[in-house]
Amino acid sequence: MSALEPVGPGFRLADVDPDATPGIDRAHAERELTDSADELSDLQERLYADAKVGGTRSVLLVLQGIDTAGKGGIIRHVVGLVDPQGVRITAFKAPTPQERAHDFLWRIRRALPEPGLIGVFDRSHYEDVLIHRVRGLSPLEVVEQRYGIIRDFEAGLVAGGTLVRKVMLQISRDEQRKRLQDRLDRPDKHWKFNPGDIDERLLWDDYQAAYQIALERTSTPDAPWYVVPADAKWYARWAVHRILLDALREIDLQWPPADFDVEHEKARLAAS
Amino acid sequence: MSALEPVGPGFRLADVDPDATPGIDRAHAERELTDSADELSDLQERLYADAKVGGTRSVLLVLQGIDTAGKGGIIRHVVGLVDPQGVRITAFKAPTPQERAHDFLWRIRRALPEPGLIGVFDRSHYEDVLIHRVRGLSPLEVVEQRYGIIRDFEAGLVAGGTLVRKVMLQISRDEQRKRLQDRLDRPDKHWKFNPGDIDERLLWDDYQAAYQIALERTSTPDAPWYVVPADAKWYARWAVHRILLDALREIDLQWPPADFDVEHEKARLAAS
């Protein structure tokens, strides 16, 4: 299965090889990123421009994955290719007391991209059906209700003009060990390490099962999930870049027409 | 005077040649940007890491300049070099009714960078002593009070751990005409044009005078202004990049030490 094919009926997470790089080799992947830089930039600017004249379109990219899966690297190296004025990034941590006092989508709604922007979620409302399921942070019947609530919520976003794409970065258990080891070996990476990461690692199979359920219940034609093999960082970057580029291509906006009299303004400028 | 020297006593804006490129040629400027990419990235990450363990340092970069001076280009091409997770950009437009119901610094305070972040203001509280002075949007005695209020406000930011750098991009009247003409000639740039830009252009000398007053009254050793000649875009980008890089060098943070027992965690990882 290609990483650029959304999760559909019969999808099995266990069938995804985290070390695979389907469809492209490293040299071509890196060239594609360079070659499409102008197109990405142009499409993002059209999205931004459209909202200036009243357009309602936006993009929401949800990034999920276990600790060290590479969400931060994707934001730095893929989202970082886009004009930062057109991007809104939100990292969702353990909820604050204020956030916990509201329904689980409250903090999500407040972070949605305004028209014209590309919103990026580093973790998201999916934590409420992942860690909540694995660690029993909410009763199972509450978790069970959330899949439908999430589908409806995302359908509402799409109806409002937001193009929704969801990416799970899938690494292997062995690759995670290497990455955690690196954070422990290098003093300049100690700040990225959290002893809780190992606690979560011990629940590996439970998280995989929780992801399987979330993916199959919430991947819809309008708000699809993509599972991206992420042991090879260059591959994950290429794949997410393509998913973002294809999303902007799909929106296919034109430059907005002038809302002023161009010739009149040229004459005023000449006289100024 | 070098663009990398802050505004000090006796500074005269009229003496700045907007077309000058003091201190460097284009080839060296572009090489410097490439060569220092890793250092910029490293310093930004140290700032970010420091806040994760309780540090209070942040950076605030204020960008000002007349329409078409290139603020957006600086954000795209200079701020865009930094990991977007470490940056918070705010563009200040004409204030909303809600913002107008508060004192002029209210919306500014809400947009300040949290510890660990580089905050970038595209326009700022300085509009309240620039357009407000030129167009009489506030009584002159109110505008006159604001310079001192701003100095005190910024001194407070510095005392709280924020390194403040303020940049005015200075273009010539003729260069502005060319850039506005380009926005009128190219349909893909019409959305960037606003007839109000020409109204403001007609007040050129008044804006220069208002900038002169703001610069001389609010450039302090701890929150200095830099006037960057910006007719040559490559030069303005190099200069702002250097100002940002020097600011991060000045903060000079080290990687935070581990707040956990490294050997113990290595053993846990090995057993996991």
Side-chain angles (χ1 to χ4, degrees), chain B residues 1 6-16 211-212 215-216 227:
Chain B
M1 194 188 93
V7 168
F11 172 85
R12 289 186 59 231
L13 182 57
D15 292 343
V16 175
Y211 265 109
Q212 170 69 36
L215 292 166
E216 64 187 39
V227 175

Side-chain angles (χ1 to χ4, degrees), chain A residues 46-71:
Chain A
R46 286 172 194 241
L47 177 66
Y48 190 83
D50 182 63
K52 288 269 176 194
V53 297
T56 58
R57 305 307 309 269
S58 62
V59 172
L60 175 62
L61 177 67
V62 172
L63 295 175
Q64 285 284 160
I66 206 142
D67 294 315
T68 77
K71 299 180 293 294

Side-chain angles (χ1 to χ4, degrees), chain A residues 233-268:
Chain A
K233 289 180 181 177
W234 67 262
Y235 181 78
R237 288 172 194 173
W238 170 80
V240 179
H241 179 267
R242 259 302 284 280
I243 289 164
L244 181 60
L245 187 61
D246 286 348
L248 289 166
R249 283 171 176 160
E250 190 177 319
I251 295 185
D252 189 30
L253 289 166
Q254 304 311 306
W255 293 110
D259 57 357
F260 51 84
D261 179 340
V262 176
E263 294 311 314
H264 176 67
E265 296 301 328
K266 283 183 182 172
R268 285 181 72 214

Side-chain angles (χ1 to χ4, degrees), chain A residues 28 50 55 60 74 96 113 158 163 166 173 240 243 255 259:
Chain A
H28 282 90
D50 182 63
L60 175 62
I74 291 289
T96 63
V158 172
L163 194 140
K166 302 176 290 194
R173 208 162 182 284
V240 179
I243 289 164
W255 293 110
D259 57 357

Side-chain angles (χ1 to χ4, degrees), chain A residues 41 45 49 52 72 75-76 83 85 93 181 185 188 191-193 195 199 201 255 260 266 268 272, chain B residues 41 45 49 52 72 75-76 83 85 93 185 188 191-193 195 199 201 255 260 266 268 272:
Chain A
S41 181
E45 197 171 359
K52 288 269 176 194
I75 295 176
R76 184 169 203 143
D83 185 344
Q85 295 164 100
K93 315 283 185 191
Q181 188 71 50
D185 288 343
D188 63 327
W191 69 277
K192 289 189 175 186
F193 181 86
D199 302 332
R201 175 174 168 77
W255 293 110
F260 51 84
K266 283 183 182 172
R268 285 181 72 214
S272 74
Chain B
S41 182
E45 197 172 359
K52 288 268 177 197
I75 295 175
R76 185 170 204 140
D83 185 343
Q85 294 164 103
K93 316 283 185 189
D185 288 342
D188 63 326
W191 69 276
K192 288 189 174 185
F193 181 86
D199 303 333
R201 174 173 168 79
W255 293 110
F260 50 86
K266 282 183 181 173
R268 286 182 71 215
S272 73

Side-chain angles (χ1 to χ4, degrees), chain A residues 41-42 44-45 48-50 52-53 71-73 75-77 79-80 82-85 87 89 91 93 122 173 176-178 180-185 187-196 198-199 201-202 255-262 265-266 268-272, chain B residues 41-42 44-45 48-50 52-53 71-73 75-77 79-80 82-85 87 89 91 93 122 173 176-178 180-185 187-196 198-199 201-202 255-262 265-266 268-272:
Chain A
S41 181
D42 182 81
Q44 178 272 322
E45 197 171 359
Y48 190 83
D50 182 63
K52 288 269 176 194
V53 297
K71 299 180 293 294
I75 295 176
R76 184 169 203 143
H77 297 284
V79 178
V82 176
D83 185 344
Q85 295 164 100
V87 174
I89 301 164
K93 315 283 185 191
D122 174 356
R173 208 162 182 284
Q176 192 197 39
R177 190 189 49 69
K178 285 182 200 157
L180 288 172
Q181 188 71 50
D182 189 51
R183 290 182 182 182
L184 287 169
D185 288 343
D188 63 327
K189 295 209 168 186
H190 281 165
W191 69 277
K192 289 189 175 186
F193 181 86
N194 184 330
I198 295 181
D199 302 332
R201 175 174 168 77
L202 294 170
W255 293 110
D259 57 357
F260 51 84
D261 179 340
V262 176
E265 296 301 328
K266 283 183 182 172
R268 285 181 72 214
L269 178 60
S272 74
Chain B
S41 182
D42 181 81
Q44 179 272 321
E45 197 172 359
Y48 191 84
D50 181 64
K52 288 268 177 197
V53 296
K71 300 182 292 294
I75 295 175
R76 185 170 204 140
H77 297 284
V79 178
V82 176
D83 185 343
Q85 294 164 103
V87 174
I89 301 165
K93 316 283 185 189
D122 174 356
R173 208 162 183 282
Q176 192 197 39
R177 189 188 50 69
K178 285 182 200 156
L180 288 172
Q181 188 70 49
D182 189 52
R183 291 184 182 182
L184 287 169
D185 288 342
D188 63 326
K189 293 210 167 184
H190 281 165
W191 69 276
K192 288 189 174 185
F193 181 86
N194 184 329
I198 295 182
D199 303 333
R201 174 173 168 79
L202 295 169
W255 293 110
D259 56 358
F260 50 86
D261 179 338
V262 177
E265 295 301 328
K266 282 183 181 173
R268 286 182 71 215
L269 179 61
S272 73

Side-chain angles (χ1 to χ4, degrees), chain B residues 229-245:
Chain B
D231 276 6
K233 289 180 181 176
W234 66 261
Y235 182 78
R237 287 170 195 174
W238 170 79
V240 179
H241 179 267
R242 258 301 285 281
I243 290 164
L244 182 60
L245 187 60

